[in-house]
Amino acid sequence: LFSGYTMVGVPNEAFKDGYKALRWIPSKLFMAFGYMCTSPRLRRISLIRHYHSPLDFITDRFRSQFLRYSIFVILLVPSIIYLAAQPITLKGNFNDLFGLEDNNVIAPVAICAFILVLEWIGGLNVVAYTDSAQGILMILAFVLMSSTLCHLYGGWGSDIFNPKTYPAPTFFQVPSTEDQVAMWSFSLQWISFAALPHFQQRTYASGEFKSMKLAYFVISLAPWLTMLVGVFSGTLGVYLLQGQETSNPFTGVVAELMSASGFGYVAGLLILVGSVAAIISTADSLLIATTHMVMSEVVNPAMKNASHARVSFVSKVVSFTVMALGLVIALTDDGALSDLAAVQNGMCLQAVPTLLIGLFFAPRYTPHAWIIAVGALAGFITTVVINY
């Protein structure tokens, strides 16, 4: 829920497309729905069968190496793309905030290196502890951002948003049929998030079912806070930043907030820190889950007799490679975050039927594993061709 998409992508999209950015609310709710449909049964099975890797269930259920490694590729690529979205956000935030050129790469490279070192030192424990602190900080940032902006400028009902005087009156037009279809297509794809490695890793690592129920409540409620604040700040930014050239409206709105008052300055600092916390939280989770999947499915089977020290060294090489790939994509991609999300979700969506068939189909009604694999790979290749 809290990532570069949430903190920066949503305000920037709202600045550009207006209330069409509200599509992020059903998107996150579909994500929560997919997770709630699959994680309870997957968690129960994992306790009995002792799963650890995100692909353990697929391997155990279908007993097919072809399907196993087909799903491995299908989940690996969108995980790296999702990881890449975090440095993209970092670059935009830091460069705008400190007046650097858009192509300056110091901030994303430095913070990615910092995340990598933390992962090497602490592993999953670092993610567990920092996620809690970062989550509290991010919620505080959203509350401060919404309350401070409303206090200073008024809400959507203020004169600023009068359709007759608002700088972008087209925002108040009813979306076309094509736009509405695109909105629901984008939103439905987020059901695929349940298949991503870092979500499945959290399912396996959860302590009791009570904690999972609390997680369901939080991920169902949070979009109404996070996404609405993002859309509001983006649409307000159209008024605050009119006549200004900006590549990152989110930091522009925060800068206006910081210059408005002393309290606004403090709130703006916390919001910026919260945005960095959101990005780091998502990046380290993805890095650990992706590295774990690569080690479990590729490296460990090939190094059965290797020493612990050698395996540990290789795991560091793998995590460095994953982070480097994400960083390269981030520094070379010039598309919008929402476009990157659509590609990522379209790829990941191809793994969802395999997960659902495995969880809910009786063996006698289950298609042959090769049929499932060919269908998933065909969908994956089609997604790549359509988008690239």
Side-chain angles (χ1 to χ4, degrees), residues 327-339:
L327 191 57
V328 168
I329 295 173
L331 300 181
T332 57
D333 186 270
D334 57 357
L337 282 174
S338 56
D339 296 335

Side-chain angles (χ1 to χ4, degrees), residues 349-367:
L349 192 62
Q350 310 313 314
V352 173
T354 305
L355 185 61
L356 295 178
I357 290 171
L359 286 172
F360 298 104
F361 279 43
R364 59 178 177 173
Y365 297 120
T366 300

Side-chain angles (χ1 to χ4, degrees), residues 42 45-65 67-69 71-72 75 195 197 200-201 204 292-298 300-301 354-355 358-359:
L42 190 61
I45 298 172
S46 71
L47 291 175
I48 298 172
R49 306 291 291 181
H50 306 291
Y51 296 154
H52 298 285
S53 167
L55 290 182
D56 281 350
F57 170 71
I58 301 298
T59 306
D60 188 30
R61 174 67 172 80
F62 295 98
R63 307 287 171 153
S64 168
Q65 296 302 307
L67 178 59
R68 174 189 183 184
Y69 286 105
I71 300 300
F72 170 79
L75 293 181
Q200 293 196 39
Q201 191 177 59
Y204 296 155
H292 183 209
M293 184 175 70
V294 173
M295 290 296 298
S296 298
E297 306 304 328
V298 178
N300 289 343
T354 305
L355 185 61
L359 286 172

